[in-house]
Amino acid sequence: MARTVELPATSAEARDRVLALLHACHRQVDEVVVADALLITSELVTNALRHAGGVTGFAARIAGDRLEVIVEDASPVRPVVPSDIRDGRIGGYGWSLVRRLATSVAITPSADGKGIHIALRLT
């Protein structure tokens, strides 16, 4: 994966990078799409930091009519949805939102954990 020069240390830093990318893409992007992109980015980075050993890779780019975001982390464990949680804990709602908002979602194993690849249609 093509990595940014420095990994975002917080979800806010990752959101700032995605927002700057969307503003630089020289096309009108609906404010709802921008909000969805920022929410997805925030959820992926927050989950990597909170549950998966940290962000080990981050990339965002515009490809045609889509925003693509990749967040890699240090855990091979896949995200869960609320119905997967059986021990009384609460969680999984952010991952449900990511799956609902993104145009496509893929999880790929890596040597050090996993990468979560999302695409979001800009038009």
Side-chain angles (χ1 to χ4, degrees):
M1 172 175 84
R3 297 196 195 304
T4 56
V5 174
E6 224 175 281
L7 295 175
T10 66
S11 59
E13 285 181 21
R15 286 192 310 269
D16 289 346
R17 291 182 192 184
V18 169
L19 186 59
L21 177 64
L22 291 171
H23 284 157
C25 79
H26 305 295
R27 72 172 73 181
Q28 184 68 24
V29 179
D30 184 89
E31 65 185 50
V32 173
V33 174
V34 172
D36 289 350
L38 298 179
L39 178 59
I40 289 168
T41 300
S42 187
E43 286 295 330
L44 293 179
V45 172
T46 297
N47 285 345
L49 293 170
R50 188 175 290 161
H51 304 293
V55 175
T56 59
F58 179 86
R61 70 182 186 132
I62 304 293
D65 69 341
R66 294 174 181 228
L67 167 70
E68 296 177 351
V69 176
I70 301 169
V71 177
E72 293 179 342
D73 63 46
S75 172
V77 178
R78 297 171 67 91
V80 297
V81 294
S83 62
D84 293 338
I85 300 172
R86 303 275 186 232
D87 62 4
R89 291 179 296 139
I90 297 173
Y93 298 104
W95 181 238
S96 296
L97 278 172
V98 168
R99 290 178 39 205
R100 181 171 292 136
L101 296 174
T103 305
S104 66
V105 177
I107 301 172
T108 57
S110 68
D112 300 322
K114 68 180 167 301
I116 299 179
H117 307 244
I118 70 92
L120 179 64
R121 189 171 295 112
L122 297 175
T123 56

